[in-house]
């Protein structure tokens, strides 16, 4: 099972780095939640948490539009029976690289919650 969950993470990175929003969203349950410190900074009213694919679509489309050079370099993927822990480096032209950890909670082969942590 952990290999299957690792593949979800690999698919997540491929979709994100090619800015394939539909492929990225297809990995998520319709009512999934996403937490990010960047979200909290850019949209304080959310307190960093959004719910549902439509909210995620708006969030990630905005990121892709604002940051066309945005790329995530994978450094580690670890999975267990229902979670994937991912470590990666956020790279954007003219910005300092940022080390990030993210947890994907998986249920019935879909991401139900993603939480981002910046280092």
């Amino acid at each position: 099972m952990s290999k299957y969950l690792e593949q979800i993470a690999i698919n997540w990175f491929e979709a994100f780095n090619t800015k394939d929003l539909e492929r990225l969203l297809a990995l998520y349950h319709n009512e999934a939640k996403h937490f990010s410190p960047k979200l909290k900074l850019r949209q304080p009213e959310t307190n960093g948490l959004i719910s549902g694919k439509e909210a995620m679509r708006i969030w990630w489309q905005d990121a892709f539009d604002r940051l066309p050079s945005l790329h995530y370099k994978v450094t580690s993927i670890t999975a267990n029976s229902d979670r994937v822990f991912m470590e990666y480096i956020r790279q954007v032209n003219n910005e300092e690289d940022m080390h990030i950890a993210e947890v994907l909670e998986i249920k019935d082969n879909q991401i139900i919650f993603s939480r981002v942590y910046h280092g």
Side-chain angles (χ1 to χ4, degrees):
M1 181 59 138
S2 64
K3 287 292 181 199
Y4 180 77
L5 296 184
E6 286 177 16
Q7 188 59 52
I8 290 174
I10 291 166
N11 293 344
W12 189 94
F13 282 110
E14 289 173 355
F16 202 96
N17 285 333
T18 60
K19 310 215 179 4
D20 188 338
L21 188 53
E22 295 309 313
R23 184 175 172 203
L24 180 64
L25 290 169
L27 298 170
Y28 284 81
H29 183 274
N30 286 337
E31 302 303 319
K33 297 181 186 320
H34 177 70
F35 174 82
S36 168
K38 288 274 187 193
L39 182 58
K40 190 173 183 176
L41 286 173
R42 292 196 58 81
Q43 298 177 14
E45 69 281 4
T46 67
N47 204 26
L49 181 67
I50 54 176
S51 297
K53 282 187 180 182
E54 248 344 276
M56 288 181 217
R57 176 188 310 282
I58 292 166
W59 171 245
W60 284 318
Q61 186 62 63
D62 177 64
F64 295 157
D65 292 345
R66 281 184 303 102
L67 305 166
S69 67
L70 178 62
H71 181 82
Y72 291 160
K73 181 180 175 186
V74 181
T75 57
S76 176
I77 297 174
T78 306
N80 64 21
S81 62
D82 64 352
R83 290 182 189 182
V84 180
F85 181 77
M86 310 183 307
E87 293 177 279
Y88 54 94
I89 300 170
R90 177 187 181 271
Q91 299 174 317
V92 176
N93 289 347
N94 302 315
E95 289 187 19
E96 192 172 322
D97 287 355
M98 180 183 291
H99 292 266
I100 298 178
E102 185 161 351
V103 177
L104 305 177
E105 290 184 30
I106 313 289
K107 183 177 180 184
D108 297 328
N109 302 322
Q110 290 188 303
I111 301 166
I112 59 169
F113 199 166
S114 51
R115 292 184 311 274
V116 178
Y117 303 94
H118 296 170

